[in-house]
Amino acid sequence: VTGLLREGGRDAVGLVLVGDELLLGTVADTNGAWVAATLRAAGRRLVETRVVPDDPGRIADAVRSMSSQVGVVLTSGGLGPTSDDLTREALSDVAARPLVTDETAAQLITTWYASRGRSPTQAALRMARRPASADMLLNPHGSAPGVRLRLDECLVYALPGVPAELQTMLTSVVLPDLDARLPQRDPTVSASVEVALLGESAVVDLLAAVEADAEADPDVDIAYLARPAQVSVRVSVRSGGAATLASWEGRVLEALGTHVMGKDGQTLAEVVVAALQRAGETVATAESLTGGGVAAAVTAVPGSSAVLRGGVVVYATDLKESLTDVPRRLLDERGPVDEEVAAAMAQGACRRTGATWGVATTGVAGPDPVGDLGPGTVIVAVAGPDGTTTRGLALPGDRARVRRLTVAHALDDLRRRLLSRESR
Ligand code: ATP
Ligand code: MG
């Protein structure tokens, strides 16, 4: 991994989140993630976020030190009318200029109050103040205006903390202003490749050679995001645009081969639904330890009604016979956690619903063993037009993880079956 996110520079952005409540844990920060994703989509590089209390000294320190390393500093919060809103004071300190009342802003605040039949309070008029060297950013959807300030080579934008106000200010005022003042010669572009059910370290091993080359190129960055049962590999390039990105992405795809499950944040269920839609086929489920989890994952995807026939939770052993036609003799001889039983469940789901594909899960979720089978002993089966496949698994983790991984394996096996038929 190279320094795309580590380097400062004039095209880099820093973010200061202001608010005691963020440090006390009474408000969970959402502005940080929203700003990060929005900047990324706009091709801007956020390299640091800091959280500071409603303290003018700490706000000033954060803005001052970031402004010496990056070309743009954004702040969120502390612009309101109350005595604990101290971002303006901090900016006045950093700029070494006094706070003055901005006549246009004062007029707008007065008009806003007048339209509600009131005159503005002293507190409200505090929001019209800005450091003498700064400009006001008029807020189209709120009463608290933002402030823009130049500190040497750095542009500072102070924005309100209320998420809806911050969002409109960033997209309708700040980003267009940045495009005019700090145009991007070559915006950073990125893409992600999704891998299912392969550990992060295995993914890193497969990509060792590609990563070594990326390491040597300061304009390319490869990053990993591990989620449950899924790893996203994000490739970002800072110059060369779409063509350069496509060639690096191509190398990643080649190195990962059949482990690649999807692109740009797709989930297993989304990929399966899309493949079924392409094929004009349907699926039904017969689930034991996952209790409907496979069907729930599929129904979470918009458009699933065209491809999911339905599903049955056959938790008790006798229901595996009465609802999915598993032969009684088989259940008596082998017990419910058995490859032939799982295969019969998947076939039963197809037969009972008329679906093209049947997916079955059976196993021991834990924490206790069942007979001599330990927790994590799981079988998934997929029945389809070209036969039935089963997979025995020894899954790690607690009950929740075993169930989650079982759902992922069931969907991934169906995905592989669908793709292997597509490629024929
Ligand atoms: P106001 O004019 O409402 O006072 P402000 O710019 O002074 O706006 P703050 O007082 O810091 O902003 O925050 C206003 C409200 O916005 C907070 O009570 C909180 O609910 C929400 N908020 C602030 N910062 C964040 C954040 N980082 N993530 C999510 N919500 C936030
Ligand atoms: Mg406030």
Side-chain angles (χ1 to χ4, degrees):
V1 181
T2 55
L4 255 192
L5 290 183
R6 269 182 255 140
E7 274 170 41
R10 228 168 107 58
D11 69 324
V13 183
L15 173 63
V16 180
L17 301 168
V18 179
D20 286 359
E21 69 275 19
L22 301 172
L23 290 160
L24 292 170
T26 51
V27 169
D29 167 48
T30 54
N31 288 346
W34 190 88
V35 169
T38 304
L39 288 173
R40 174 160 57 75
R44 303 265 170 194
R45 284 190 308 130
L46 179 67
V47 297
E48 185 179 10
T49 295
R50 279 215 225 167
V51 183
V52 298
D54 291 305
D55 173 78
R58 286 198 184 268
I59 301 170
D61 279 351
V63 171
R64 197 178 282 122
S65 76
M66 273 191 191
S67 70
S68 66
Q69 297 165 36
V70 298
V72 180
V73 171
L74 307 176
T75 70
S76 142
L79 285 185
T82 59
S83 59
D84 60 354
D85 289 318
L86 294 164
T87 301
R88 292 166 210 289
E89 280 72 9
L91 293 182
S92 151
D93 179 40
V94 179
R97 301 297 300 274
L99 285 175
V100 298
T101 293
D102 184 277
E103 288 311 326
T104 312
Q107 193 53 54
L108 279 172
I109 290 168
T110 307
T111 309
W112 189 88
Y113 273 84
S115 73
R116 285 156 182 78
R118 290 147 56 193
S119 55
T121 57
Q122 273 313 108
L125 286 171
R126 280 167 54 89
M127 296 191 296
R129 294 173 314 146
R130 56 169 169 79
S133 53
D135 301 306
M136 228 59 188
L137 297 173
L138 297 176
N139 183 344
H141 294 275
S143 53
V147 172
R148 181 185 62 206
L149 180 70
R150 182 175 278 288
L151 295 173
D152 296 326
E153 284 292 276
C154 181
L155 283 166
V156 179
Y157 295 86
L159 305 176
V162 179
E165 295 185 18
L166 172 111
Q167 291 172 16
T168 31
M169 289 284 271
L170 187 68
T171 49
S172 63
V173 181
V174 176
L175 290 177
D177 196 59
L178 274 179
D179 285 341
R181 285 160 196 277
L182 204 61
Q184 308 180 77
R185 252 168 295 116
D186 239 347
T188 299
V189 285
S190 55
S192 74
V193 172
E194 308 297 329
V195 179
L197 292 166
L198 193 64
E200 198 173 12
S201 51
V203 174
V204 171
D205 281 351
L206 288 172
L207 288 175
V210 185
E211 233 191 288
D213 291 346
E215 200 88 46
D217 186 336
D219 286 338
V220 179
D221 187 42
I222 294 182
Y224 303 90
L225 172 66
R227 328 181 200 206
Q230 185 168 343
V231 177
S232 293
V233 181
R234 171 165 289 279
V235 190
S236 306
V237 304
R238 188 161 39 169
S239 61
T244 308
L245 179 64
S247 101
W248 281 96
E249 194 188 352
R251 291 195 58 189
V252 169
L253 288 171
E254 195 186 325
L256 294 172
T258 61
H259 295 294
V260 173
M261 172 272 283
K263 288 196 61 175
D264 297 325
Q266 271 184 315
T267 64
L268 267 172
E270 286 168 356
V271 171
V272 163
V273 168
L276 286 166
Q277 282 171 340
R278 279 197 302 276
E281 293 176 340
T282 56
V283 64
T285 60
E287 302 185 58
S288 188
L289 82 157
T290 48
V294 177
V298 173
T299 53
V301 181
S304 58
S305 57
V307 302
L308 180 74
R309 286 288 296 153
V312 55
V313 177
V314 281
Y315 215 55
T317 301
D318 61 299
L319 291 187
K320 292 179 174 67
E321 180 196 3
S322 58
L323 295 181
T324 54
D325 309 324
V326 182
R328 160 63 60 80
R329 173 195 46 79
L330 194 60
L331 286 166
D332 288 345
E333 279 172 19
R334 309 275 184 82
V337 183
D338 173 82
E339 304 218 0
E340 268 186 60
V341 168
M345 287 166 65
Q347 290 159 5
C350 282
R351 190 176 326 110
R352 292 289 189 111
T353 62
T356 326
W357 299 89
V359 173
T361 64
T362 181
V364 184
D368 300 319
V370 173
D372 48 8
L373 299 176
T377 308
V378 167
I379 297 156
V380 299
V382 176
D386 49 1
T388 301
T389 51
T390 58
R391 180 190 301 273
L393 298 159
L395 299 175
D398 62 8
R399 185 176 174 86
R401 180 143 183 244
V402 165
R403 286 160 36 90
R404 206 164 51 225
L405 287 172
T406 303
V407 169
H409 275 283
L411 289 171
D412 195 47
D413 282 358
L414 174 59
R415 177 186 74 84
R416 287 172 187 272
R417 292 280 302 275
L418 282 160
L419 291 191
S420 82
R421 254 171 37 109
E422 258 179 23
S423 62
R424 260 184 254 137

